[in-house]
Amino acid sequence: MNVAVSSEIGDRKTNEDVVNYQIIDSRSFFVLCDGVGGLPDGGLAAKIVTDTLLEAFEKQDFTLKQAIDHAQEILLNRQSWDHKQDGLRTTLVVLLIDGKTAQYAYLGDSRLYHFEGHQLIHVTSDDVVKHGFLHASLSHAMGDESIKALHFSKCFEVTDDSSFLLCSDGFYKPLSLRCIKKAMRHAKSETWLHTMNEQIRKHTRKKNADNYSAIAIRMNDLYKESE
């Protein structure tokens, strides 16, 4: 397995994206949260959820749903006893790889892309409400009173050709799927991610770029880079 992580502030004053991962023996856990923009404490919510989920993974006695429910409970409790923290909202996308099987979960408009070779197998949908052609707003996030919209995948097989990309909306919005797949000609996750970051910087130059963060995962890094 080959993993690369990046989180860039863009043109914003603060970076409210939080990304992290942990590998223990044959189990790997990846989490990306994007604090809801325009709300106070979005970055804090992202950190709370990320830290809570990683702590649960390290204990190795959880299901994804149990861990996410616990993180949600922490956010709601903090909002109830401190109304100054009513803005504790964050998106969430997580991937759990256990040996040769995997499962992911997500809420909000952060995404997971799953590739086999260069073929896109699945990309998660966005929890947004569209307002006309160009504008949309987030419809669900961690920290809302109800997270009934939380999406869980079924367990699926991971192969040596599997690749995954977890990313915030500031990362994928400037990129076309064609650009993401073209960057995959590089075998190493670091180069794949670096190439996409370079394209984002070119596209968003002088455009008030959002925070943009991602985790790139290639299950097999033993093959040579394509010409």
Side-chain angles (χ1 to χ4, degrees):
M1 181 187 295
N2 182 238
V3 181
V5 177
S6 71
S7 186
E8 303 291 338
I9 195 170
D11 296 321
R12 303 300 168 86
K13 293 181 179 180
T14 59
N15 188 350
E16 296 192 331
D17 292 354
V18 179
V19 294
N20 210 335
Y21 72 97
Q22 183 70 262
I23 298 174
I24 301 176
D25 299 326
S26 63
R27 302 174 76 242
S28 308
F29 188 65
F30 307 88
V31 55
L32 183 148
C33 291
D34 176 2
V36 176
L39 292 175
D41 299 319
L44 176 59
K47 187 176 188 312
I48 289 172
V49 172
T50 300
D51 290 349
T52 301
L53 296 181
L54 284 172
E55 182 180 352
F57 174 74
E58 290 171 2
K59 292 178 179 178
Q60 301 194 47
D61 60 352
F62 78 109
T63 66
L64 269 182
K65 186 176 187 311
Q66 289 171 337
I68 294 171
D69 285 346
H70 181 50
Q72 168 74 348
E73 183 180 8
I74 292 174
L75 293 184
L76 293 179
N77 285 342
R78 292 190 66 148
Q79 292 176 47
S80 67
W81 57 257
D82 185 353
H83 293 297
K84 292 180 180 179
Q85 293 188 340
D86 282 347
L88 284 169
R89 304 285 193 282
T90 182
T91 70
L92 168 70
V93 59
V94 298
L95 173 68
L96 173 64
I97 300 176
D98 190 352
K100 288 296 184 180
T101 61
Q103 184 182 23
Y104 59 82
Y106 65 98
L107 185 69
D109 59 357
S110 294
R111 288 183 181 177
L112 178 141
Y113 293 80
H114 172 197
F115 297 91
E116 290 294 330
H118 283 74
Q119 182 180 356
L120 177 65
I121 301 301
H122 184 72
V123 57
T124 57
S125 57
D126 303 327
D127 290 317
V128 297
V129 177
K130 297 205 172 179
H131 308 284
F133 181 71
L134 296 176
H135 301 285
S137 61
L138 196 63
S139 59
H140 300 285
M142 295 287 292
D144 291 339
E145 289 187 5
S146 171
I147 55 171
K148 293 180 180 178
L150 186 65
H151 312 275
F152 289 92
S153 76
K154 295 181 179 179
C155 290
F156 58 93
E157 183 180 1
V158 174
T159 74
D160 288 343
D161 290 329
S162 298
S163 298
F164 303 95
L165 178 67
L166 289 73
C167 53
S168 62
D169 64 329
F171 187 95
Y172 65 75
K173 283 182 178 178
L175 297 175
S176 65
L177 177 59
R178 180 176 179 273
C179 181
I180 294 172
K181 293 175 72 173
K182 184 177 180 180
M184 287 182 69
R185 70 180 184 273
H186 303 291
K188 293 287 187 180
S189 294
E190 292 90 342
T191 314
W192 181 27
L193 188 53
H194 174 76
T195 301
M196 291 185 287
N197 277 328
E198 286 295 305
Q199 290 299 315
I200 292 170
R201 282 189 276 271
K202 289 179 182 178
H203 183 84
T204 59
R205 190 172 296 151
K206 298 180 181 180
K207 291 184 179 180
N208 190 30
D210 192 3
N211 308 146
Y212 56 99
S213 304
I215 307 174
I217 306 151
R218 308 295 296 266
M219 297 305 296
N220 184 2
D221 62 344
L222 300 179
Y223 51 87
K224 294 181 180 180
E225 295 190 5
S226 302
E227 297 294 335

